[in-house]
Amino acid sequence: MTENFQFADLNIRYTGNKEKTINLVKRAIRMGYDAIAINIDVGLFFCPEVKNGDEPPSKKRKKKEVEKVSTPTLPEPFLVDESLLDLSSLERQGKKFRQYSRLTCDLTDSTSVFRLQQGLKNSKYDIVAVRPNSLDILNTVAKKGTFVDIITTDNSEGRICWLTKSKVLQSAAFEVGLTFEIIYSSALRDREARRNLITNSRLLLNVFTCGRGVIISSGAEDLSELRGPYDAMNMTVLFGINSKYARKFVSENSENVLKRCSSRKTMKCTYIEVPIENSEEVNRFKEVINIDELKKIELFNDQITS
């Protein structure tokens, strides 16, 4: 999947304007990215009882509303028709263009985590990113979040309390395999947002000193918000990262995200060897495992001895 992989921007936002998104992808390719993810951000989609700016509901109210509110249907992912793209520059360099679909949402409580799990059962999204609003939700995602790939935040909007919880962050990244994301686009628009981005990113990277488990993405909605991979690498120096680790943020760590999301599409199974001494035992095991059906699958047939 990641043969000749070089640079990725895993957060090009799709807000309903197809032409704008196509132009963003074209620009990303010209800048040197060979992997991109088109992100649909649904915000509080899985928290219908919470409006922007409201506090999460109390436990009693939440229990009543969980019974009433069914899991909403997710919007379809958006991918660009590759016939509209000029991929010749990548082909000359021996690279293969890859695009992925991404879903991003807010999580405010354990109910929203459950709704997300249910909503993803028949989902076609490749990458799943979440914005936990508290340390408790981050812990919940870390424990149950095999369906999540990225922990993202809006680093430009004031201080995020759980960024100082080094043990929780390291556990989520190193033991569970989650990746944390820094988004730079909003910092290009406003001085205050830029200051907040640098402060929060430094807090995060005090935990991940060598950049392991962190990616940097544009979150771009307009062409003016997109920067090339080398510019993105240079930004990490502002966050206190040694320049020799900068490449990880747009290459190695992004590749790990793609490997993680691809692993969910693989079939995992195991087997045990049981000595069978007579035909009665064979028939007994056939009631549990339909060997004849497994033999129809070439992959299994080669490994089944009768």
Side-chain angles (χ1 to χ4, degrees):
M1 179 203 70
T2 52
E3 183 182 358
N4 298 326
F5 178 91
Q6 191 167 15
F7 298 124
D9 186 338
L10 299 184
N11 192 350
I12 290 179
R13 293 193 63 185
Y14 173 67
T15 56
N17 189 324
K18 294 182 180 180
E19 185 177 351
K20 184 182 286 188
T21 304
I22 292 170
N23 288 333
L24 276 167
V25 173
K26 288 180 178 178
R27 175 70 65 86
I29 292 170
R30 288 199 298 272
M31 285 179 164
Y33 291 104
D34 53 291
I36 58 98
I38 298 178
N39 179 26
I40 295 180
D41 193 327
V42 295
L44 293 167
F45 188 79
F46 294 101
C47 319
E49 66 276 9
V50 181
K51 297 180 181 178
N52 288 317
D54 288 352
E55 291 294 323
S58 64
K59 287 186 178 180
K60 287 184 179 179
R61 179 183 150 205
K62 183 170 64 177
K63 284 182 180 179
K64 292 179 181 178
E65 290 176 341
V66 168
E67 297 174 359
K68 295 179 182 178
V69 181
S70 59
T71 303
T73 304
L74 285 169
E76 288 293 311
F78 175 75
L79 293 175
V80 172
D81 182 354
E82 292 189 19
S83 65
L84 301 174
L85 306 175
D86 180 6
L87 304 177
S88 57
S89 60
L90 295 180
E91 291 169 356
R92 284 195 298 270
Q93 299 173 58
K95 298 180 188 177
K96 179 183 177 182
F97 176 69
R98 302 171 180 86
Q99 63 172 325
Y100 302 87
S101 57
R102 166 175 162 172
L103 176 76
T104 302
C105 67
D106 292 277
L107 296 179
T108 58
D109 53 27
S110 57
T111 303
S112 58
V113 176
F114 173 76
R115 287 184 179 132
L116 174 61
Q117 281 181 294
Q118 298 303 306
L120 290 174
K121 283 187 175 179
N122 298 312
S123 167
K124 299 177 182 177
Y125 286 95
D126 299 310
I127 301 170
V128 178
V130 299
R131 274 186 300 268
N133 77 334
S134 68
L135 182 63
D136 288 339
I137 299 304
L138 178 59
N139 273 319
T140 300
V141 171
K143 291 174 182 176
K144 301 181 179 180
T146 54
F147 55 93
V148 173
D149 305 298
I150 296 172
I151 302 294
T152 188
T153 58
D154 191 343
N155 286 320
S156 63
E157 289 191 358
R159 184 165 178 169
I160 300 163
C161 60
W162 49 260
L163 286 178
T164 59
K165 308 297 181 181
S166 58
K167 289 184 179 179
V168 176
L169 300 184
Q170 288 175 347
S171 173
F174 302 152
E175 296 176 21
V176 183
L178 296 173
T179 296
F180 291 83
E181 179 182 48
I182 296 171
I183 303 172
Y184 62 77
S185 59
S186 56
L188 301 176
R189 311 182 200 119
D190 179 76
R191 180 181 297 178
E192 181 68 23
R194 191 154 47 247
R195 186 160 47 241
N196 289 334
L197 174 69
I198 293 172
T199 300
N200 287 322
S201 298
R202 280 180 173 270
L203 286 173
L204 179 64
L205 294 171
N206 280 340
V207 178
F208 304 104
T209 51
C210 297
R212 180 185 171 190
V214 183
I215 61 173
I216 187 167
S217 307
S218 67
E221 297 179 25
D222 296 300
L223 293 175
S224 61
E225 297 171 349
L226 186 62
R227 295 293 182 270
Y230 291 100
D231 289 334
M233 283 186 249
N234 289 335
M235 287 183 201
T236 64
V237 178
L238 295 174
F239 309 147
I241 286 292
N242 189 310
S243 58
K244 68 180 180 181
Y245 300 122
R247 189 184 181 92
K248 286 184 178 182
F249 289 79
V250 292
S251 184
E252 179 184 323
N253 295 344
S254 299
E255 185 177 5
N256 290 337
V257 173
L258 299 179
K259 286 178 178 178
R260 177 182 171 88
C261 72
S262 296
S263 70
R264 285 198 297 273
K265 298 180 180 179
T266 60
M267 184 173 67
K268 303 176 180 67
C269 62
T270 186
Y271 73 93
I272 57 173
E273 293 185 4
V274 180
I276 298 176
E277 298 179 357
N278 54 58
S279 59
E280 289 183 5
E281 289 187 352
V282 171
N283 293 330
R284 183 160 58 88
F285 280 107
K286 278 186 176 181
E287 292 176 4
V288 181
I289 303 172
N290 194 329
I291 295 177
D292 292 332
E293 289 299 316
L294 285 176
K295 283 183 177 180
K296 294 178 183 178
I297 304 174
E298 184 177 347
L299 176 67
F300 291 116
N301 189 42
D302 294 339
Q303 302 178 53
I304 295 173
T305 56
S306 55

